[in-house]
Amino acid sequence: MEINEKEHLEKTIDIVNKKIKENITKLENTQGKLKQGISELSENFYETSKEGGLGNAFSSLLGIENLQNEFSKSLKRLSLQKNTPYFARIDFKLKGKQKTQNIYIGIGTISDEQKLYVADWRAPISSMYYDYNLGPAEFNIDSDVYQGDITLKRQYKIEDGKLLSYFDTDLTINDEILQEVLSHNASVKMKQIVSTIQKEQNKIVRQETNDNILVQGIAGSGKTSIALHRAAYLLYKHRGQIKSSDILIISPNNVFSSYICEVLPQLGEDNLIETTFAQIARAELKSPIQSRESMLDEIASNPKQEELNEISYKSSYEYLDSLLRFLKGPFLETFSPQNLSYVVREDLEGNVDTIDFPAEQTKELFFKTFKGLDLYERINKIAWQYAMVFTEERHYTKEQNKGLRDRFKKILYKFLPIRDIDKIFEIFMARENLKVSKRSAIDYMDKGTYLAIKYFLYGFDHDFSAKYLIIDEMQDFTPVDIYLFKKLWTCPCIVVGDVNQCIEKNVSDEYLQITADFLGCKLIELNKTYRSTKQIAKFASSLIGQSNIEYVNRNGDEPCIYLAVNQEQTISEIIENECKKFDHIAIICKCNKEAEGVYKKLSKLITCTMLTQPEDYNNRVLVTTCATAKGIEFDAVIIPNADSENYKNTIDKNILYVSSTRALHKLFFTCEKEPSHMLKNIEVVK
């Protein structure tokens, strides 16, 4: 029997509205209980404390607060579902059954006591929508396989609870839906792609055979979105075992962190914990650290071959091997224990206990028994072993034992002649014939080395634990950084990036596989781009000589060059005449000096903003640099000063590629001099 789609939508929204009312009531009740509980505890604090009931009281309040948070989260998800309860439907006839199931698919489950109205897109049965055309299909629940036939695939356009249109297709994702989504203007936040996930993307999102995944995806392949949707999938699959706060994403910069922060809330989940590697380094080293943007700015403004060679070496596994050999070899060999008797005073009467530190015993433990461990782990083990002698013989408490261990650790560290991280770094640099920067901040390329030395010597001060790790822009991290990731997090991970978007160095395919093997990841490559029009994507791929790229058949204007007497005037005219319908336009410059110059002149002609802070992205016209714009997309991109003097070498080509691939719909170049040879096939507008 054919379903009346309008009636089904209305019934589904009625159920959502009912659940919203129920959750509001529950939320109000818990808020009242929490307020009452706090008031009663405040009034009876002394009596409760005296009776030893504070623990139970606080536990009860915490339980109520957790319920309150759950109801709030549920309300957020239901509000989203009220506007768009589902986006697709499949009709599935299970093998051996007569009845066909009508399965509607949305961002979350919607049901009442009698019927399932909408299945969560992450549910096993929903996977068939992404993976199969009409005909034979199957899905798995644990180890059980359910086979049958898909007899209908239908896609919907629903906004504000109203059915605007729907149509049937025998494809996985109909081009009409995909084109419609891709043709939209750039959002202030990264889009969720749940309604248009492609088969190859869905395979990564639902990956079961490999806990650790490394995704090499070309610009616009959706790799970051895939990583975030995988997080949402894991939260669904392992609900009760893992929550959003257990997932850590390491992103390139704060602007990008803000850009992606709304993806999971759009899927009805809480947001993830986000940080940058620079933030981790600052927290541990307690020193200022040069930003990646600043480092790239220096390279783009004044590239020096010696510095580029140094960056290339510090970005190699050869450099990592050399660092580890030094720390585990020559440096450890400086550990020189002495015979020592340690006196512990126990009471006021002068009774003392002593323990001997025989040098040979300490050497045996340090160099043989605990060989292979980092230095701080060896010292912890030895200190614990010595402390246990006292604990077992004198029946010390846990607190006394810990006190002894801390004292013994201090003594053991004194057997190292050099314990200063800066000094050890300088010694290693000298061994490698590398220069030590004279700037007050730690060089961006050196932060990993400093951190590795700190970790080896002392471990880390902060707890960065997570149950799942997402690393974005993998190509921007060095092998030393990756080594630290492996040390700090033993949890499953998804690592995503694009070697073609590494500005400061060229990254080989071999490097990709080495990194995947090092992290224990399955390497998956994505060669289909969805972000840009076919014309923009083809130009970008020609810059780097890529020939194996697949394009979504979304056509637009060819990129073009505007020759100008007054560049900023020309940019303002392009925005006025060519970009009227666009919400986000970026003027992407090569370096910060150039961006500041363009902004100073352009801001006198039109309203524009320098993109430096996350909130700046809300503005329509932005002036920024390639380094800051990485990972973000815009409706139109204008690249100024695209002349032969400004864009001439490999670094410039990489910058041009990254900048160009930020554009969704239109790409423009402006210059007052002869255009760069890299733009030789682009039409010139005078």
Side-chain angles (χ1 to χ4, degrees):
M1 184 174 108
E2 181 61 31
I3 296 173
N4 185 313
E5 292 289 5
K6 190 176 177 182
E7 287 182 6
H8 181 83
L9 177 61
E10 289 173 352
K11 179 64 177 173
T12 304
I13 291 175
D14 284 344
I15 291 172
V16 173
N17 283 328
K18 183 182 175 184
K19 290 184 179 292
I20 287 174
K21 288 179 182 177
E22 290 173 355
N23 273 269
I24 289 173
T25 302
K26 290 176 180 176
L27 185 60
E28 288 173 348
N29 288 338
T30 55
Q31 286 172 337
K33 287 180 181 178
L34 187 62
K35 189 176 179 181
Q36 183 183 348
I38 293 170
S39 177
E40 289 177 354
L41 180 60
S42 181
E43 290 174 6
N44 306 298
F45 188 84
Y46 179 74
E47 290 81 1
T48 307
S49 173
K50 200 173 176 182
E51 295 168 4
L54 281 180
N56 289 334
F58 283 125
S59 180
S60 177
L61 289 174
L62 184 61
I64 296 170
E65 190 177 15
N66 288 337
L67 277 174
Q68 185 178 330
N69 291 336
E70 283 299 313
F71 295 141
S72 292
K73 180 181 172 182
S74 181
L75 272 174
K76 288 178 185 176
R77 185 181 65 253
L78 288 165
S79 298
L80 292 169
Q81 291 176 300
K82 182 180 177 179
N83 292 329
T84 309
Y86 48 84
F87 53 82
R89 166 187 157 190
I90 56 172
D91 289 0
F92 182 67
K93 188 176 180 182
L94 194 63
K95 198 172 184 178
K97 302 289 184 180
Q98 292 297 316
K99 190 176 179 182
T100 298
Q101 295 175 270
N102 312 120
I103 305 155
Y104 288 80
I105 301 168
I107 65 168
T109 302
I110 301 173
S111 64
D112 59 16
E113 293 80 4
Q114 288 82 37
K115 184 177 177 182
L116 174 69
Y117 284 85
V118 180
D120 193 298
W121 69 275
R122 298 164 289 187
I125 199 167
S126 303
S127 65
M128 295 188 293
Y129 167 69
Y130 302 103
D131 291 340
Y132 293 98
N133 301 333
L134 295 183
E138 64 181 41
F139 66 97
N140 302 336
I141 298 178
D142 297 325
S143 56
D144 296 323
V145 181
Y146 297 86
Q147 297 178 326
D149 289 281
I150 296 175
T151 60
L152 180 140
K153 291 187 72 170
R154 182 167 289 176
Q155 294 170 289
Y156 302 87
K157 188 175 180 180
I158 301 170
E159 292 180 4
D160 298 324
K162 297 187 183 318
L163 179 61
L164 301 182
S165 64
Y166 69 85
F167 51 88
D168 299 338
T169 177
D170 63 349
L171 301 175
T172 305
I173 303 294
N174 189 278
D175 272 351
E176 187 175 337
I177 286 283
L178 185 59
Q179 292 277 10
E180 199 270 336
V181 171
L182 295 176
S183 64
H184 280 178
N185 283 358
S187 167
V188 173
K189 306 296 182 185
M190 178 176 281
K191 300 182 185 81
Q192 54 98 336
I193 59 169
V194 63
S195 62
T196 58
I197 293 174
Q198 304 293 288
K199 186 175 181 178
E200 69 274 12
Q201 297 172 327
N202 186 55
K203 189 176 179 182
I204 300 171
V205 169
R206 298 175 189 264
Q207 176 69 236
E208 297 289 348
T209 54
N210 297 94
D211 287 335
N212 301 323
I213 309 164
L214 192 156
V215 180
Q216 156 59 31
I218 61 167
S221 59
K223 51 190 176 289
T224 302
S225 288
I226 290 168
L228 296 170
H229 282 68
R230 176 156 175 79
Y233 172 74
L234 293 171
L235 288 168
Y236 173 86
K237 186 178 179 188
H238 302 292
R239 51 195 181 281
Q241 302 171 41
I242 184 171
K243 53 187 184 293
S244 297
S245 56
D246 295 324
I247 301 176
L248 175 66
I249 178 167
I250 299 177
S251 53
N253 55 56
N254 292 329
V255 172
F256 186 71
S257 293
S258 175
Y259 176 66
I260 65 174
C261 74
E262 286 301 316
V263 172
L264 259 71
Q266 287 177 40
L267 297 170
E269 300 288 353
D270 292 331
N271 221 335
L272 310 178
I273 305 297
E274 300 165 67
T275 189
T276 65
F277 195 49
Q279 287 174 321
I280 292 173
R282 288 189 197 101
E284 285 299 320
L285 299 173
K286 299 175 179 62
S287 297
I289 295 170
Q290 181 193 26
S291 68
R292 176 169 175 79
E293 290 74 26
S294 172
M295 185 264 293
L296 291 177
D297 198 66
E298 289 180 2
I299 291 171
S301 337
N302 186 27
K304 298 176 182 175
Q305 194 57 50
E306 185 181 1
E307 291 176 1
L308 293 176
N309 291 342
E310 193 169 294
I311 287 171
S312 182
Y313 176 54
K314 289 178 180 178
S315 302
S316 69
Y317 278 94
E318 181 187 354
Y319 177 82
L320 171 63
D321 289 341
S322 187
L323 174 62
L324 295 180
R325 282 199 306 272
F326 166 71
L327 290 174
K328 295 177 181 181
F331 175 70
L332 277 188
E333 289 167 7
T334 65
F335 184 80
S336 183
Q338 304 170 17
N339 292 315
L340 183 68
S341 289
Y342 187 75
V343 178
V344 181
R345 297 191 180 275
E346 266 201 325
D347 55 39
L348 297 174
E349 297 176 3
N351 298 316
V352 298
D353 285 321
T354 62
I355 187 169
D356 291 327
F357 284 82
E360 289 305 314
Q361 183 181 344
T362 305
K363 277 185 182 179
E364 179 77 16
L365 290 168
F366 189 88
F367 290 107
K368 293 183 179 180
T369 307
F370 301 123
K371 185 181 179 181
L373 299 178
D374 290 340
L375 184 139
Y376 84 94
E377 293 174 310
R378 300 188 197 193
I379 285 179
N380 282 340
K381 293 277 190 184
I382 297 169
W384 179 85
Q385 192 152 317
Y386 280 135
M388 285 303 295
V389 174
F390 262 62
T391 301
E392 290 172 358
E393 291 182 3
R394 307 296 194 274
H395 306 290
Y396 273 23
T397 64
K398 286 184 179 179
E399 290 74 18
Q400 288 173 313
N401 179 273
K402 185 180 183 303
L404 279 174
R405 276 183 287 152
D406 291 343
R407 294 172 204 171
F408 295 158
K409 280 164 63 175
K410 287 180 181 178
I411 290 173
L412 290 165
Y413 272 112
K414 288 180 181 179
F415 296 149
L416 280 168
I418 301 171
R419 300 181 293 278
D420 181 72
I421 295 170
D422 290 315
K423 185 64 180 174
I424 296 167
F425 174 81
E426 290 172 9
I427 292 169
F428 175 67
M429 288 290 106
R431 287 175 60 91
E432 296 294 303
N433 293 317
L434 296 170
K435 292 180 181 177
V436 177
S437 172
K438 294 181 180 178
R439 73 169 88 237
S440 57
I442 295 171
D443 275 10
Y444 177 83
M445 291 302 298
D446 291 330
K447 71 183 182 312
T449 306
Y450 271 94
L451 276 174
I453 294 169
K454 162 85 188 291
Y455 188 83
F456 186 79
L457 260 72
Y458 304 110
F460 278 179
D461 302 328
H462 301 81
D463 181 12
F464 301 106
S465 59
K467 290 184 179 179
Y468 194 78
L469 180 68
I470 300 172
I471 301 172
D472 203 1
E473 300 291 350
M474 164 273 301
Q475 74 282 350
D476 293 344
F477 296 110
T478 70
V480 177
D481 301 335
I482 292 165
Y483 164 79
L484 287 164
F485 295 154
K486 189 175 179 179
K487 279 282 189 180
L488 288 172
W489 296 285
T490 56
C491 59
C493 66
I494 181 168
V495 183
V496 300
D498 178 16
V499 294
N500 300 303
Q501 294 186 60
C502 191
I503 293 172
E504 71 274 21
K505 59 185 184 291
N506 290 322
V507 184
S508 67
D509 292 339
E510 184 184 22
Y511 178 90
L512 268 178
Q513 191 58 62
I514 292 170
T515 301
D517 293 342
F518 186 82
L519 290 171
C521 289
K522 176 180 174 61
L523 176 61
I524 301 173
E525 297 191 52
L526 296 174
N527 293 316
K528 191 170 185 178
T529 179
Y530 299 93
R531 176 185 296 138
S532 307
T533 62
K534 195 173 183 177
Q535 288 75 14
I536 294 171
K538 277 192 170 184
F539 161 72
S541 62
S542 71
L543 279 172
I544 56 174
Q546 274 193 320
S547 57
N548 62 336
I549 294 178
E550 295 180 58
Y551 310 97
V552 173
N553 193 29
R554 183 169 72 88
N555 289 302
D557 295 336
E558 292 283 352
C560 61
I561 304 168
Y562 279 79
L563 294 181
V565 176
N566 184 313
Q567 183 172 236
E568 284 71 30
Q569 182 65 46
T570 300
I571 291 172
S572 69
E573 290 171 2
I574 293 171
I575 293 170
E576 175 64 28
N577 301 324
E578 302 282 351
C579 304
K580 287 182 179 179
K581 64 180 182 179
F582 297 143
D583 299 325
H584 292 283
I585 304 152
I587 297 97
I588 303 181
C589 302
K590 183 177 170 181
C591 62
N592 198 55
K593 184 180 178 181
E594 182 183 291
E596 287 174 351
V598 169
Y599 172 74
K600 186 177 179 179
K601 293 179 182 178
L602 189 63
S603 60
K604 295 176 181 177
L605 302 173
I606 60 171
T607 301
C608 57
T609 306
M610 279 284 287
L611 178 57
T612 56
Q613 302 295 325
E615 55 270 20
D616 295 334
Y617 189 74
N618 296 303
N619 295 286
R620 181 170 178 258
V621 181
L622 299 167
V623 181
T624 186
T625 64
C626 173
T628 302
K630 275 188 87 175
I632 307 175
E633 60 186 32
F634 306 90
D635 294 314
V637 166
I638 303 168
I639 300 175
N641 297 310
D643 56 69
S644 55
E645 291 181 15
N646 204 28
Y647 288 93
K648 56 190 176 186
N649 55 38
T650 302
I651 299 292
D652 300 334
K653 180 192 69 175
N654 295 344
I655 291 172
L656 209 57
Y657 173 77
V658 173
S659 300
S660 299
T661 54
R662 302 308 95 201
L664 274 77
H665 311 300
K666 287 197 175 187
L667 175 63
F668 307 95
F669 302 89
T670 66
C671 53
E672 297 177 355
K673 303 175 183 176
E674 182 185 352
S676 168
H677 69 278
M678 302 174 194
L679 309 178
K680 60 184 177 182
N681 295 323
I682 296 183
E683 180 188 357
V684 177
V685 180
K686 296 184 180 179

